[in-house]
Amino acid sequence: MESVNADDFTKEELFSRLLQLEQRVEELEQENKRKDKKIDQLQEQLDQKDERIEELETRLRKYENPHTPPSKRRSGTDESPTSQDDEDENVRTDGGTPGRKDGHDPEWRVTADPDKEIEVSRDCCPECGEHFDESVGVSPRLVEEVPDPQPPEVTQYNRHCYQCDSCGTETVATHPDCPDEGQFGVNVISQAHATERAARAGRCEYEQIRRQIQQAEIVHVDETGIKREGEQAWIWTFRTRKHTLYAVRESRGSDVPAEVLGEDFAGTVICDGWTAYPAFSSNLQRCWAHLLREAEDVASDHEEAEPVHRYLKQMFVGLQSWLETDPSPRERAQMHRSCQNGLRSLVERSVTDEAVATLLGKIEGGIDHWLTFVGEPAVSPTNNAAENALREPVVLRKIIGTLRNDRGMFVHETILSLLATWRQQGRNPYEELRRVVSNNEMISRAHAVPAVETSG
């Protein structure tokens, strides 16, 4: 290519070329500005999308996190969990799906026995009018019906008053169907059981349930949030094999189990990893369902956590199978030491991923409480009993939104505790509520508030 020499151009041509170059430079600068502006716009859109993604992930973690019960979690695959070859058949850590599983018998509503039978017959054919001699069969159909509304039965109780000639005591005669106050009878109070009067009538039995739980050797404990006048409060559940007690408090601290169970409680508390529990007692069983879900959740995003999850799951499944052989106390103690050493070795491994290090830290933080069930045959390795007990309060929370005041807290915890305990024991809740209302052991309205003013 022939080189261009400046001497080949006149001054005018050089000047013209310079102007053309300056114009081109200006055009390129304008184009760069437009591109910079476009880049800024795209960057702003990306930032907005990142904020939206973070917001959605935050909302999603409320429903899909290691502490979400399996029934609430959504599976990350289209494949049915029942079709997966899961070596652990007792603990679901795959997300689960609702409905009957393959191979399980269906559950049908129990058919009620009829209170009466009515013969339904016909004399002639509806098509041609031919007379029928007799039926050729019977097609029974059970129909459940609610009786027609009945007018209220109004009774006047003439309660006679007496004065003792010996000591001067004045008394008024009582009747089991006549409450000490108000104009509504036992059936009305029992059928409209979510009332303050019903709660006041049942509070003595509520305290009896609390005393039974205080004497228990094993108690499942859990808590979940609830609103009181729009402010954060907590509904706690304390559950044994035969009793369930709820307590609505403004505190989520160790003062609540200390109040309900007593500061000298000597039994085993089965719980999750909330800090209030080790602050209350050193005799704990940490929930393995929570641990396995959290380990699986971390392993799904961090490859370094996969051997940790695999080790924990194999240990848990192996222990369940081994415990079915009914080992002796000595064998249990040996297995406890062996598994304890295994967990200590697990948490001592060196990892680079922060999420995996956090998981190992949580395991180490409960190192003395993961294997209580190995040495104590009656202790469950999971806190499913308490989590199940909180399902009904959670449903009610979605319906009512918030408790209005202290009296609402009182009614809520009392009625829920009575109904749950009676159902646990196979007793008829309606008949039991009639009984406690008929006993006329109603506490005063001034005491119809939670027993302790909590510190928050």
Side-chain angles (χ1 to χ4, degrees):
M1 181 176 178
E2 187 178 355
S3 62
V4 178
N5 194 320
D7 295 335
D8 296 337
F9 295 94
T10 65
K11 182 184 295 185
E12 289 77 10
E13 289 174 334
L14 289 173
F15 185 72
S16 175
R17 179 64 66 88
L18 180 61
L19 290 177
Q20 291 175 0
L21 291 174
E22 288 181 347
Q23 183 178 358
R24 181 56 179 162
V25 169
E26 186 176 354
E27 290 174 354
L28 292 174
E29 288 178 346
Q30 292 297 327
E31 184 177 353
N32 283 338
K33 288 181 179 180
R34 288 194 297 271
K35 289 183 177 180
D36 289 342
K37 185 177 181 181
K38 184 63 175 178
I39 290 173
D40 291 340
Q41 292 174 346
L42 292 174
Q43 185 62 50
E44 184 177 356
Q45 292 176 6
L46 286 175
D47 292 341
Q48 292 174 351
K49 290 182 182 298
D50 288 342
E51 291 178 2
R52 180 60 175 164
I53 290 172
E54 184 177 355
E55 176 188 348
L56 292 175
E57 287 180 341
T58 301
R59 292 169 59 184
L60 183 62
R61 281 194 292 270
K62 179 179 180 182
Y63 300 98
E64 292 187 358
N65 62 74
H67 305 290
T68 304
S71 60
K72 293 286 187 181
R73 293 165 66 88
R74 291 174 285 184
S75 176
T77 65
D78 294 332
E79 182 181 8
S80 171
T82 57
S83 66
Q84 299 174 0
D85 184 17
D86 191 351
E87 57 185 331
D88 178 13
E89 298 178 354
N90 296 320
V91 176
R92 289 171 52 189
T93 61
D94 55 8
T97 57
R100 179 169 60 92
K101 309 306 177 189
D102 293 340
H104 289 206
D105 294 332
E107 291 288 341
W108 303 104
R109 186 169 180 267
V110 177
T111 303
D113 294 328
D115 298 310
K116 62 180 180 180
E117 294 187 16
I118 298 177
E119 301 298 329
V120 183
S121 60
R122 192 179 184 94
D123 294 331
C124 61
C125 176
E127 294 294 331
C128 66
E130 178 69 20
H131 182 74
F132 290 139
D133 291 331
E134 60 183 21
S135 69
V136 296
V138 176
S139 176
R141 171 172 292 180
L142 282 174
V143 177
E144 298 184 33
E145 182 60 279
V146 177
D148 292 334
Q150 301 296 313
E153 182 181 279
V154 181
T155 303
Q156 177 174 308
Y157 292 89
N158 296 317
R159 303 181 301 166
H160 289 262
C161 304
Y162 300 91
Q163 183 172 11
C164 178
D165 293 335
S166 177
C167 65
T169 300
E170 296 181 354
T171 186
V172 179
T174 61
H175 190 281
D177 294 334
C178 178
D180 286 344
E181 60 180 70
Q183 67 184 71
F184 295 117
V186 172
N187 286 342
V188 174
I189 297 175
S190 300
Q191 293 182 37
H193 55 258
T195 66
E196 184 182 314
R197 288 185 61 197
R200 288 162 55 198
R203 193 65 180 189
C204 291
E205 187 137 339
Y206 175 93
E207 295 300 331
Q208 292 175 12
I209 294 171
R210 172 155 46 180
R211 287 192 289 272
Q212 291 291 330
I213 291 178
Q214 288 176 338
Q215 298 170 11
E217 294 182 356
I218 301 168
V219 181
H220 293 258
V221 186
D222 202 358
E223 79 294 325
T224 189
I226 193 171
K227 296 295 184 180
R228 175 192 176 277
E229 293 185 309
E231 299 296 330
Q232 185 64 60
W234 304 91
I235 181 165
W236 293 69
T237 183
F238 301 81
R239 188 168 192 174
T240 65
R241 190 169 60 87
K242 290 187 176 181
H243 300 87
T244 298
L245 186 129
Y246 297 95
V248 182
R249 297 292 183 268
E250 295 176 359
S251 171
R252 199 188 178 194
S254 60
D255 55 320
V256 179
E259 169 208 337
V260 174
L261 297 177
E263 294 183 356
D264 56 349
F265 178 73
T268 299
V269 174
I270 302 176
C271 58
D272 58 24
W274 180 235
T275 56
Y277 302 117
F280 165 68
S281 172
S282 60
N283 192 11
L284 306 176
Q285 169 60 58
R286 290 279 296 274
C287 179
W288 272 81
H290 279 82
L291 176 61
L292 291 175
R293 285 201 298 265
E294 184 158 359
E296 181 183 33
D297 189 70
V298 177
S300 65
D301 295 326
H302 306 273
E303 185 177 349
E304 199 173 12
E306 291 179 0
V308 177
H309 173 236
R310 186 165 53 251
Y311 180 87
L312 291 172
K313 190 171 183 179
Q314 289 174 349
M315 173 182 283
F316 182 71
V317 174
L319 282 173
Q320 282 191 311
S321 299
W322 180 76
L323 289 172
E324 291 177 357
T325 65
D326 192 23
S328 66
R330 181 179 179 181
E331 291 172 328
R332 286 177 175 270
Q334 291 175 343
M335 180 61 74
H336 185 282
R337 286 193 297 271
S338 175
C339 291
Q340 187 90 326
N341 292 334
L343 289 178
R344 293 189 188 281
S345 297
L346 179 69
V347 300
E348 289 172 358
R349 65 171 55 197
S350 177
V351 295
T352 58
D353 195 300
E354 184 178 352
V356 184
T358 300
L359 172 63
L360 294 177
K362 290 183 178 180
I363 298 173
E364 184 177 16
I367 199 73
D368 295 326
H369 306 134
W370 295 116
L371 299 168
T372 307
F373 75 101
V374 177
E376 299 183 25
V379 174
S380 169
T382 72
N383 200 24
N384 292 341
E387 290 187 356
N388 290 339
L390 284 177
R391 289 180 179 176
E392 185 174 1
V394 168
V395 172
L396 289 174
R397 178 182 66 192
K398 294 179 180 178
I399 296 172
I400 64 177
T402 184
L403 300 173
R404 299 298 179 187
N405 48 40
D406 287 346
R407 298 190 189 282
M409 295 167 64
F410 173 87
V411 172
H412 201 67
E413 67 181 20
T414 304
I415 296 298
L416 282 177
S417 299
L418 297 181
L419 297 180
T421 296
W422 291 333
R423 285 194 294 261
Q424 249 179 299
Q425 298 174 0
R427 296 151 71 182
N428 185 302
Y430 172 66
E431 292 297 330
E432 292 301 317
L433 200 52
R434 280 192 89 258
R435 173 182 59 79
V436 297
V437 172
S438 299
N439 285 343
N440 277 324
E441 295 182 358
M442 190 176 300
I443 67 173
S444 69
R445 195 169 191 271
H447 292 91
V449 294
V452 172
E453 290 293 335
T454 57
S455 58

